[in-house]
Amino acid sequence: MIDEKQIGERLESELRPGKAAPMGLVGELTPVKPGLSTGAVLTVFAAMLTGITVGGGLTMGSRGMLAMTVAQVMIMGALGVTMMGLLGLAAAQGLRPGSKVWVNVRWANVLPLVGFLAMAAVIFPWRWMPENFIADGWGCLREGFYVALASSVGVIWLVRRGYVMNWAGLAGTLGAFCGLTGAALLHVMCPEQEATHLIVWHGGILVGGTLGGLLAGYLVLRGK
Amino acid sequence: MDDKQALVALMIGYQSADRTAAELLAAKVYPMLHRFYSSLGEHERADDLAQECWIRLHKARHSYRPPEPVLPWVFAIARHTRVDQFRKRARSSGREVAMEVGADFTAPAAEPEPTVLPLLEQLPASQKEVLLLLKVTGMSLEEVARATASTVGSVKQKAHRAYETLRRLMGEKS
């Protein structure tokens, strides 16, 4: 019985040899900076998230932090850092062709949202008040989207430093990160720390960010 | 210095606009690209695809980060080039009229008849691609995993299944 090694050797001997490189293949050359490392992408993400939440908290108030218990602050903080790490790894591998696959991009895009919704439902009280639900929530949604839009500038800079092959996946990841920055700042400044409000309006920014990213990726692909 | 380290050194030279390094890199990588496309059944288009891929490698040269292995970076872009060209052809195929192709007079008559190569056509595309990446480029399982944006386990499984199918087909043939 023929084994794997013999099949491989036979296949190698039957493959046609490749043609040599044609003359003049190498054109104009200019020096370029090497791509960003995974650590650098994670650092950029961490700096953006910290800058937005701390800066926003200092300038616009931190009533949300004061309304939470210490345990809630710690759990949501840890969740935010985990989400950022997951999205950062997915973004780093999407920006560099041939890089090691650390996380599945689809999971990385969906897990932060699932984690946020689950935590909001479990660790925050349910005291739904229909009279202010839309008025308060709409304000949060608008502010969150402004923040997400602002962080998309940093994200576009990252994209320019890489080479994207899977636009849909990467754009979803970056959109989810922009949504995360918006939701994180709202968590610091919004005093309405109630499960329904968090799930619908703060979670809505995560959903909107991811969908906005996917739409942007689709538009880039169509334009190519 | 082994071949892989030499490629990294050439790539660093290419990024810093060293013409000699770029030409040496092209001399090493281009035949591999041509062989890869040609083995995937793109005989007529192998030249075009390899040149298009080289243009993309040139544009994307900033996205390589030393000292990571060079070949997974090259072949990730090579796969993407092929998929892109396939999509473009699919879009324009409705507007094109097929031309009759003449007989292939370039095939040498004296070579022994291949036994494994024709059987590759019966493999699923992903298994065939993994097998060729392993054999054409000499990349390791981990490097092929990087080039195909998958895991080592998945590459190992695809290669194993491909060998199993080839062994069965060869058994049936004989």
Side-chain angles (χ1 to χ4, degrees), chain A residues 79-114:
Chain A
L79 183 70
V81 172
T82 311
M83 287 153 108
M84 183 214 73
L86 200 63
L87 293 169
L89 284 176
Q93 73 191 34
L95 288 166
R96 269 200 332 262
S99 57
K100 192 169 180 170
V101 177
W102 295 100
V103 287
N104 180 315
V105 177
R106 281 186 201 144
W107 281 110
N109 291 355
V110 173
L111 274 179
L113 177 66
V114 175

Side-chain angles (χ1 to χ4, degrees), chain A residues 4-5 17 29 36 40 42 45-46 50-51 55 63 87 93 100 108 124 140 145 160 164 169 174 195 204-205 224:
Chain A
E4 281 187 12
K5 199 177 166 202
L29 286 178
L36 293 170
L42 284 171
F45 269 31
T50 313
R63 289 185 299 160
L87 293 169
Q93 73 191 34
K100 192 169 180 170
F124 287 94
C140 274
F145 272 123
R160 286 172 62 90
V164 186
L174 298 176
I205 295 159
K224 280 183 103 187

